[in-house]
Amino acid sequence: AVPARVDEALGLLEEMNEHGVRPDVITLSSAITACANATPAARVDDAMQLLKRTYDLGLQPNVIMLSSLITVCARVTPARVDEAFELLAVMDEAGLAPDVRTFNALIT
C-alpha cells in the first residue's frame, strides 16, 4: 500500500465489516503491511489491533502476517524490539517457520 493511504486501507476494512464481508488472512496481512509502510512512523497499535481481529475472527495468522507485524515493530522509533521477539515466539508456538522476510525485519 502507498504510505499515504493507510487510513484508506483501514477504512476499507471497516466498510467491509459494515457490509458483512469477512476479511481473510490475506486481506488483514495487506492492511498490516500498510501499517508497516506508514509515514512518518509505522502504526504499531493499528497493526496489533488487526492481529487481535484476526484471532477474534477465528483465523490463524500466517508467516506473512507475523513477519509484517515484526516489520511494523522494527520500523517505529524507538523500535519495539520486545514485541517483535514476542511475535517470533508466537510464530514458533504456531509451528510456523520464520522466513527470510522475518529475519530481515529483525536485523534492519
Side-chain angles (χ1 to χ4, degrees):
V2 177
R5 300 183 75 182
V6 176
D7 290 327
E8 185 177 345
L10 296 175
L12 285 171
L13 275 176
E14 287 311 310
E15 262 188 70
M16 289 174 66
N17 188 50
E18 290 169 10
H19 292 284
V21 178
R22 182 183 158 139
D24 60 13
V25 172
I26 295 169
T27 304
L28 293 165
S29 293
S30 296
I32 289 170
T33 299
C35 292
N37 293 327
T39 56
R43 295 182 40 185
V44 179
D45 295 331
D46 289 327
M48 291 301 186
Q49 278 301 110
L50 291 169
L51 177 62
K52 180 184 178 314
R53 187 170 177 186
T54 300
Y55 288 121
D56 289 348
L57 289 168
L59 301 171
Q60 293 301 314
N62 60 19
V63 172
I64 294 168
M65 176 182 279
L66 293 170
S67 294
S68 294
L69 280 161
I70 289 169
T71 300
V72 174
C73 292
R75 287 192 179 167
V76 293
T77 304
R80 291 165 71 168
V81 177
D82 291 344
E83 286 177 82
F85 280 100
E86 286 174 17
L87 290 164
L88 197 59
V90 168
M91 288 178 83
D92 185 52
E93 290 168 11
L96 300 171
D99 61 11
V100 171
R101 182 179 169 168
T102 310
F103 290 111
N104 282 342
L106 287 169
I107 63 174
T108 57

